[in-house]
Amino acid sequence: MHIDLLSSLLLLLASTTAAHNGHRHQVPHRTKTAPAKPHPTKFSHYLFRFTSANGPVNTSDILSSLQPYGFDMSHLSHTFSESMNGFSALMSDHCVDILKDMVTPNGVQIEPVVTIKRRMQPNPRATTTVNATRTTAISTRTRGHSTTDARSDSRLVRFEPAADVMFVIPPERLQGRDAWQDDATWGLQRISQRDPIAGVTPETPVDTLSFRYHFDESAGEGVDIYVLDSGINTEHVDFGGRATVEYVSKRIADLEGSADLGGHGTHTAGSAGSTRYGVAKKANIRGIKILNVNGTGLSSDAMAGIEYVIKRHRERRSSPSFRGSVLSLSFGVPLPPDLVANPSLIAEAPVLEKGLMAAAAEGIHIVTAAGNENMDACRDSPSRLSRETGLGGKYAASVISVGAADVFDRRADFSNWGRCVTTYAPGQDVLSTWIGSDNATHVGDGTSMAAPHVAGLVAYLLGVRPDLRDDVLGMKNLIMNTAGKGVIQNVADDSDRKLVAYNGVAG
Ligand SMILES: *[C@@H]1O[C@H](CO)[C@@H](O)[C@H](O)[C@H]1NC(C)=O
Ligand SMILES: *[C@@H]1O[C@H](CO)[C@@H](O)[C@H](O)[C@H]1NC(C)=O
Ligand SMILES: *[C@@H]1O[C@H](CO)[C@@H](O)[C@H](O)[C@H]1NC(C)=O
Ligand SMILES: *[C@@H]1O[C@H](CO)[C@@H](O)[C@H](O)[C@H]1NC(C)=O
């Protein structure tokens, strides 16, 4: 599957061969004799992560020690901080063997850099780019003041407790104002009611702004949503200046700068937090550009992006207005079969998963697309990190993985499914922001579209439940306990909870 599909760049590099300088020196801490290598040596892009129990390994020491064996410092792409403890580089198999001998046995995890892909599908019904009107009708109403409008009674937040219920939001925790948006997408309406949307038929045009969204006016204010994607059209009127692009992987910056050339990142950011199409209309949207115009990228760049997010999150924590960090991921990669067969092999987990666990341990809430392969989501990375039991580590289970559903609460036929789907969310006929102008829109399908609805929902809930700011497992429980249960049709797997994400605002 995709894990074998290194990008064309990688394939090119991997097939490039070159003779190394060959001579072997005494290697420090050498414990075994490396087998003789035939010439020429093969070069590949790898991610390296030190797993020593004796604390972090000094990466720059290791790299200097490798230079006499032909390692070229210009082949280093990233050196990761102590939380990741590793690096990525183009390296010969000869140097890889030397490196293995330098550290204690099993002290380094070595993984080929893999291609990650966006989770957007072609939408056969899509009206490509349509114009939006510039005004959004959002009416607000003070909570607790009786008005003649029947909807003002619907201010209580209710939950349908599961057997393992852990959290209930007391109504007094709400920030104070109900807001209604009367020109919303179907997705926004769906996540603000527990029950399916009534009155839609197969003839109803659903890619229109003819639905209604009900939310607490706090709307994710003070929360940072990091969108690891293809960049963001920050000039779009619907971001109202709240969107920035803060990090661009060097490799992609060299090719295409910081702009979103493909639209995927702008679309997902729009569902998470744009004024008209978004769930958390007041959140800060921080673009981390690690995917290219075609929606593909490298796992090493994604790692570097996650590391940036951890650094930024640490800085932001001291700001009085800060209310939490959410990481929205609409990409991934199917797992190799041996890891699928043995989920307890967490030590062997892909380096990217280790990076995500490090982010979760910092209190960063992670939401990911479940994948578009119409298969068990436990066969997908990072989706499998949502497995309820975890994979041997506390933060392995904290990821929220999101499947795609349509307006009738049917699983989208492409969406992954099963126990590793935390919840479903709108992921078909999703209207959101796009590239090309400051008011462009596009209708997209994919778990790529479903995940940012839930990323926005997490940001929104952080506004309502500030006590969960750093409690990633608590937030995941809240999402699951609030969701409509057993609603999703077209899921054959009994271990799938068939949840639909819901913001808990009654009405
Ligand atoms: C790693 O070692 C180099 C010298 O070899 C030193 O300058 C650097 O500070 C060390 N880094 C850490 C994180 O200890
Ligand atoms: C979008 O706006 C342009 C310029 O106002 C107009 O020519 C075009 O027909 C509009 N497209 C749609 C789908 O409304
Ligand atoms: C969208 O923006 C374009 C370019 O600024 C403009 O021509 C068009 O009228 C706008 N459409 C709407 C509906 O605002
Ligand atoms: C994107 O896809 C197009 C069409 O297949 C291709 O020509 C182009 O090289 C790709 N760009 C990147 C950066 O991969």
Side-chain angles (χ1 to χ4, degrees), residues 310-386:
I310 291 176
K311 178 177 143 255
R312 194 77 174 95
H313 168 79
R314 286 178 179 169
E315 288 164 9
R316 286 276 297 148
R317 283 171 68 98
S318 56
S319 162
S321 62
F322 172 73
R323 304 201 76 157
S325 298
V326 186
L327 190 53
S328 186
L329 311 176
S330 285
F331 62 80
V333 62
L335 280 165
D338 54 330
L339 284 179
V340 175
N342 192 350
S344 65
L345 284 178
I346 195 68
E348 306 296 323
V351 168
L352 191 53
E353 292 186 354
K354 299 285 191 182
L356 289 173
M357 282 183 251
E362 298 272 337
I364 298 170
H365 303 267
I366 300 169
V367 181
T368 189
N372 296 354
E373 287 80 27
N374 181 20
M375 67 177 190
D376 181 354
C378 296
R379 293 170 56 192
D380 184 276
S381 177
S383 179
R384 70 164 188 157
L385 291 182
S386 76

Side-chain angles (χ1 to χ4, degrees), residues 10-297:
L10 280 187
L11 286 173
L12 244 177
L13 290 166
S15 60
T16 305
T17 54
H20 60 80
N21 64 5
H23 54 267
R24 310 213 44 172
H25 296 289
Q26 186 65 38
V27 174
H29 317 303
R30 195 171 174 81
T31 55
K32 63 177 185 203
T33 310
K37 281 281 159 196
H39 295 238
T41 291
K42 197 172 127 193
F43 282 79
S44 303
H45 274 286
Y46 288 106
L47 267 165
F48 299 89
R49 189 174 157 274
F50 298 112
T51 54
S52 159
N54 309 321
V57 168
N58 186 324
T59 303
S60 51
D61 276 352
I62 295 275
L63 293 173
S64 324
S65 311
L66 281 174
Q67 285 180 64
Y69 302 93
F71 179 69
D72 181 344
M73 285 301 273
S74 73
H75 287 173
L76 177 68
S77 33
H78 301 287
T79 307
F80 297 113
S81 64
E82 279 191 17
S83 58
M84 309 285 185
N85 199 209
F87 63 100
S88 75
L90 177 67
M91 200 184 270
S92 69
D93 48 4
H94 171 63
C95 269
V96 169
D97 283 344
I98 301 280
L99 173 64
K100 280 184 196 161
D101 286 346
M102 276 181 187
V103 290
T104 54
N106 307 320
V108 61
Q109 185 184 353
I110 301 169
E111 175 184 303
V113 169
V114 297
T115 296
I116 52 177
K117 274 189 84 170
R118 68 182 181 187
R119 264 79 200 266
M120 192 175 186
Q121 299 280 111
N123 178 315
R125 296 162 303 285
T127 48
T128 49
T129 303
V130 298
N131 297 328
T133 55
R134 278 171 189 270
T135 52
T136 278
I138 296 177
S139 58
T140 63
R141 192 178 289 107
T142 305
R143 175 168 294 119
H145 288 212
S146 71
T147 73
T148 52
D149 190 323
R151 293 184 308 203
S152 65
D153 287 336
S154 52
R155 63 187 187 277
L156 294 184
V157 173
R158 281 180 308 189
F159 291 91
E160 187 171 79
D164 57 347
V165 67
M166 291 181 64
F167 295 102
V168 168
I169 301 178
E172 63 272 18
R173 282 272 184 78
L174 284 174
Q175 298 299 298
R177 292 177 78 89
D178 277 328
W180 292 85
Q181 176 188 357
D182 290 322
D183 60 348
T185 63
W186 79 263
L188 294 181
Q189 176 164 340
R190 185 64 191 90
I191 68 146
S192 59
Q193 60 183 54
R194 184 192 307 281
D195 301 319
I197 298 178
V200 281
T201 70
E203 283 70 47
T204 308
V206 290
D207 53 355
T208 56
L209 294 172
S210 52
F211 296 85
R212 214 174 52 161
Y213 178 39
H214 184 192
F215 57 104
D216 182 273
E217 206 197 20
S218 56
E221 191 164 13
V223 178
D224 298 330
I225 304 178
Y226 294 92
V227 181
L228 258 75
D229 213 297
S230 59
I232 299 175
N233 174 8
T234 56
E235 300 299 308
H236 200 289
V237 292
D238 264 288
F239 291 116
R242 285 176 293 114
T244 49
V245 172
E246 296 206 349
Y247 175 90
V248 184
S249 103
K250 184 175 178 311
R251 203 178 52 86
I252 293 180
D254 290 348
L255 291 169
E256 49 187 67
S258 64
D260 178 10
L261 302 185
H264 187 260
T266 300
H267 199 279
T268 57
S271 295
S274 70
T275 309
R276 183 191 313 263
Y277 314 96
V279 175
K281 300 179 185 300
K282 295 182 181 171
N284 308 311
I285 313 294
R286 303 184 187 274
I288 308 295
K289 179 168 167 164
I290 48 115
L291 299 182
N292 66 20
V293 54
N294 296 335
T296 62

